[in-house]
Amino acid sequence: MPKARKSRLAVALPLLAAALCLWVASAAGAATPKRIVALTPFAANTLVKLGAPPVAIGQTVGGNERFAPQLKGVTVLPLAHPNGPNLEQLVSLRPDLVLSTKTWAKGNQAMQNLGIRVVTREPVRVNGVISKTLAIGRLVGKLPEAKQLVAKMKEGLGKARQGITKRPSVMVILGVGHSPFTFLPNSWGGDLVRKAGAEVLAGGLNSGSGFQRISDEVVIAEDPEILIVVPHGEPEDVPAITRYFENDPAWGATKAAKEGHIYISTNNSLLQAGTDVGKTIEEVRKKYLHNWPG
Amino acid sequence: MTRRLIVLASLVALLLAAAIAELALGAVKVPPGEVLDILFGSGKTGPNHQIVESLRLPRTVEALVVGAALGVAGAILQGALANPLASPDVIGVTGGAGFGAILIIVLFPEKIALLPIGALVFGLLAAALVFVFAWTGRNRGSIAKVVLAGIAMLSLFTAGTTGLLAAFPEKAPSAIFFLAGGLTSSGWESLDTTWPYFLAGAVLVVFLIRPLDRLALGDDVAASLGSRPQLIRFGAAVAAALLAAASAAIAGLLAFLGLVVPHVVRMAGRTSSQTFVVPASALGGAALLAGGDTLARTVRAPIELPVGPFMVILGVPVFLWLLRRAL
């Protein structure tokens, strides 16, 4: 190769490489969303942990979502059927990404029609927390941070599942008014309690939604050693729902009632996917299953 | 004549007021001047532009179209069946549409975009079944047969809807909005799907106005004037089914509107002539739904409530006032 051509190449190649790097960086920068709206506590809390806090968070009407303290003061979008957030309010925030859930399928469609990028990244089971955290990290340009967070989560999960001393039979009940629904093993709460070492009873029922209306007769027939009740309703109604299920005479014949093992979970940790999954499993084991060593 | 003109003029004024309120008010404050600028194409682009152009404008048009369609559907059914209690319920449309929508919510929640199609298809299917039973066998096309077939079909589909909700109670919150009747800000999508049904229904109605006036004189007199009462009744039921099913696909179940608005305009205009009642019901229905929807969107903003109860709140006092004066 002639010397002059060689030197031209020597100049051109680094320039080309630099231009390519700049283009890739600017493309990545353009694609990285800055104004993110998180409609679920999992997405909101994950974004906080990744260092990409959302500009607004969703809150169901009368809901008791578990948000990280860092989200205090962030704009709250009340969520209600059928769309989820009020679309006018959402548009006024000029979001370039909305992390939503399938619950708001109709609203998601409407948001997309408005040109808003909508992504659903909500874990429905415990293992999903890992993949969804990585997915959110990738979406917001924080993959290294997501990997670090996942490593911590895995460590926490591993610790939380060590030394299970017994595997009691458990029914997890969602109390909607006076109507009991059972958490199925494919629900967040059902899977979490199973991971905590319980044998989750569901009377042979199944449903894609993870919940099924259950008759008290099935509760008696299954005769669980432990009953965990998650009261669901407006905050002011929760105490009454709690009292009703704590004293439900229909359950009096179960081992759980006889041995005083009917527990109430009011912090939504069994209802909503959380980033603190290891801590939640540890809590379930210590408070309800009593299978934590020592 | 003067009275009718006054009523029509008042309805036009009400309609304009309701449409302006629907465009100007919402969860986000947009100054009225900016709303006008956006509507006339001179506004700045940005969130407010998108709110007015992509959310409020299609919703206002939907409210006007659906309100007018339901008002007209009620008017022609009450005329065709000579029954003051007739509404789209009576030909099974409401029951069928409710069942179709809940079926989508329960069985295909991930395909929620199909909800209007489900409501439309089952609304028309219910009406078709009513037509089959009412226009075959003995006394076909008689008023009693149409009404009874309609009530039977309404009961059947309502039972199906209740059964689905009882079997899948966790889906009830998603279903309530549809069953209570409510518009959603889904852009032009719903109208894109349903406009042919509105158009077909409206064209049929135009051709039915005079025959319906003749039918009001009684079947025998109408027949002696060259009309075919059964055919008119059938045409009116088909038009009402098209209008009501397309309306249910967009706004859920709003039976009250089709029942009450024609009575209100009849009492206000002191005439039952369809040449007055049909256009007046269209104007009144459109005004009532747009007004009700403005309230539903703003009373607890940013939460949007179903419009059905608000229409009742707005419509019943007027209805009772007129009823007291008329009877």
Side-chain angles (χ1 to χ4, degrees):
Chain A
M1 192 183 281
K3 202 177 171 187
R5 203 171 160 193
K6 230 180 188 175
S7 68
R8 273 203 302 272
L9 264 176
V11 174
L13 277 175
L15 273 175
L16 259 174
L20 191 68
C21 286
L22 274 174
W23 178 75
V24 168
S26 71
T32 303
K34 295 278 178 253
R35 298 184 61 79
I36 309 164
V37 172
L39 299 185
T40 67
F42 174 78
N45 294 340
T46 302
L47 288 172
V48 167
K49 288 191 174 177
L50 296 179
V55 292
I57 53 176
Q59 169 110 50
T60 51
V61 178
N64 176 27
E65 280 85 352
R66 298 180 308 137
F67 289 111
Q70 295 92 321
L71 289 166
K72 211 174 172 186
V74 170
T75 303
V76 175
L77 300 176
L79 303 174
H81 286 281
N83 282 338
N86 181 295
L87 296 178
E88 290 192 7
Q89 216 182 13
L90 183 75
V91 166
S92 70
L93 292 167
R94 294 175 286 111
D96 39 24
L97 175 67
V98 175
L99 291 172
S100 185
T101 155
K102 285 178 183 169
T103 307
W104 311 120
K106 192 170 171 59
N108 296 345
Q109 183 68 52
M111 290 174 220
Q112 281 167 343
N113 291 348
L114 291 167
I116 299 170
R117 188 178 177 205
V118 184
V119 173
T120 55
R121 292 284 183 271
E122 191 66 5
V124 284
R125 299 209 201 159
V126 172
N127 289 346
V129 167
I130 306 293
S131 57
K132 303 299 179 192
T133 301
L134 288 172
I136 292 175
R138 213 169 285 129
L139 269 172
V140 302
K142 298 272 183 185
L143 190 56
E145 290 86 344
K147 283 180 177 167
Q148 275 180 13
L149 182 59
V150 160
K152 269 190 200 165
M153 280 177 178
K154 281 183 176 168
E155 195 188 331
L157 262 171
K159 275 186 191 161
R161 298 191 64 198
Q162 274 173 2
I164 291 174
T165 54
K166 58 177 176 174
R167 295 189 178 275
S169 59
V170 177
M171 281 193 104
V172 191
I173 301 290
L174 180 71
V176 182
H178 289 185
S179 307
F181 287 73
T182 184
F183 280 71
L184 302 174
N186 61 337
S187 66
W188 168 261
D191 189 39
L192 196 132
V193 173
R194 197 169 57 82
K195 292 261 188 320
E199 179 201 349
V200 176
L201 305 177
L205 297 168
N206 57 60
S207 162
S209 71
F211 296 91
Q212 265 290 12
R213 176 85 160 83
I214 195 164
S215 152
D216 285 330
E217 290 184 13
V218 179
V219 179
I220 294 164
E222 289 281 10
D223 196 15
E225 293 166 78
I226 294 168
L227 273 160
I228 303 172
V229 182
V230 181
H232 186 57
E234 298 284 330
E236 61 270 22
D237 297 332
V238 167
I241 300 171
T242 302
R243 274 194 302 279
Y244 174 81
F245 282 104
E246 274 177 332
N247 303 297
D248 187 349
W251 295 352
T254 60
K255 279 187 210 128
K258 283 178 192 161
E259 291 165 20
H261 291 163
I262 297 180
Y263 301 106
I264 307 292
S265 168
T266 52
N267 67 1
N268 273 10
S269 60
L270 296 180
L271 209 49
Q272 292 165 349
T275 46
D276 51 353
V277 66
K279 202 176 133 207
T280 310
I281 289 178
E282 191 182 316
E283 245 177 50
V284 167
R285 289 183 59 190
K286 285 179 178 168
K287 276 183 167 173
Y288 312 135
L289 308 189
H290 306 293
N291 61 0
W292 187 262
Chain B
M1 191 65 184
T2 318
R3 184 179 179 88
R4 289 185 212 174
L5 280 176
I6 291 170
V7 172
L8 283 174
S10 308
L11 288 170
V12 170
L14 273 175
L15 175 82
L16 285 173
I20 290 166
E22 181 87 319
L23 285 164
L25 304 173
V28 172
K29 261 190 188 166
V30 183
E34 196 179 344
V35 173
L36 279 176
D37 285 346
I38 293 165
L39 289 176
F40 290 108
S42 56
K44 290 177 285 185
T45 53
N48 285 356
H49 194 280
Q50 202 173 17
I51 286 168
V52 174
E53 197 184 62
S54 306
L55 294 173
R56 291 189 192 170
L57 184 60
R59 188 158 171 156
T60 305
V61 174
E62 276 182 1
L64 299 179
V65 170
V66 169
L70 286 172
V72 169
I76 59 167
L77 276 177
Q78 285 166 13
L81 301 177
N83 187 332
L85 293 178
S87 73
D89 272 349
V90 165
I91 48 167
V93 175
T94 316
F99 178 78
I102 305 307
L103 202 64
I104 299 292
I105 289 172
V106 166
L107 299 182
F108 309 103
E110 72 287 359
K111 299 223 164 77
I112 197 77
L114 291 178
L115 190 146
I117 310 286
L120 185 69
V121 168
F122 277 88
L124 291 175
L125 175 72
L129 287 171
V130 170
F131 299 156
V132 167
F133 289 108
W135 270 276
T136 53
R138 288 177 62 191
N139 293 325
R140 59 181 165 202
S142 73
I143 291 171
K145 210 167 171 183
V146 176
V147 172
L148 289 173
I151 288 172
M153 215 47 69
L154 173 68
S155 307
L156 189 70
F157 279 103
T158 305
T161 304
T162 313
L164 279 174
L165 287 176
F168 301 92
E170 72 278 10
K171 305 283 184 193
S174 324
I176 284 171
F177 201 88
F178 182 88
L179 294 176
L183 292 158
T184 56
S185 302
S186 52
W188 297 104
E189 211 172 47
S190 305
L191 274 174
D192 276 349
T193 316
T194 51
W195 72 265
Y197 302 91
F198 283 118
L199 185 66
V203 169
L204 252 177
V205 168
V206 169
F207 287 104
L208 281 165
I209 288 177
R210 291 207 176 277
L212 280 170
D213 273 338
R214 285 199 289 271
L215 196 65
L217 303 169
D219 282 14
D220 293 341
V221 177
S224 71
L225 292 171
S227 294
R228 295 168 64 187
Q230 285 178 20
L231 189 65
I232 297 168
R233 220 164 268 138
F234 181 72
V238 170
L242 288 166
L243 294 172
S247 299
I250 291 180
L253 310 187
L254 296 168
F256 169 82
L257 201 153
L259 176 69
V260 166
V261 168
H263 285 299
V264 170
V265 299
R266 253 184 238 115
M267 287 188 274
R270 290 188 190 156
T271 175
S272 292
S273 165
Q274 296 290 356
T275 47
F276 169 77
V277 173
V278 168
S281 296
L283 291 170
L288 182 59
L289 186 51
D293 189 50
T294 306
L295 279 178
R297 285 191 305 119
T298 52
V299 161
R300 269 192 74 198
I303 302 290
E304 294 189 356
L305 302 170
V307 69
F310 287 95
M311 283 195 325
V312 176
I313 291 165
L314 285 177
V316 164
V318 179
F319 179 66
L320 291 176
W321 179 68
L322 284 168
L323 195 67
R324 195 164 162 265
R325 285 166 55 100
L327 295 177

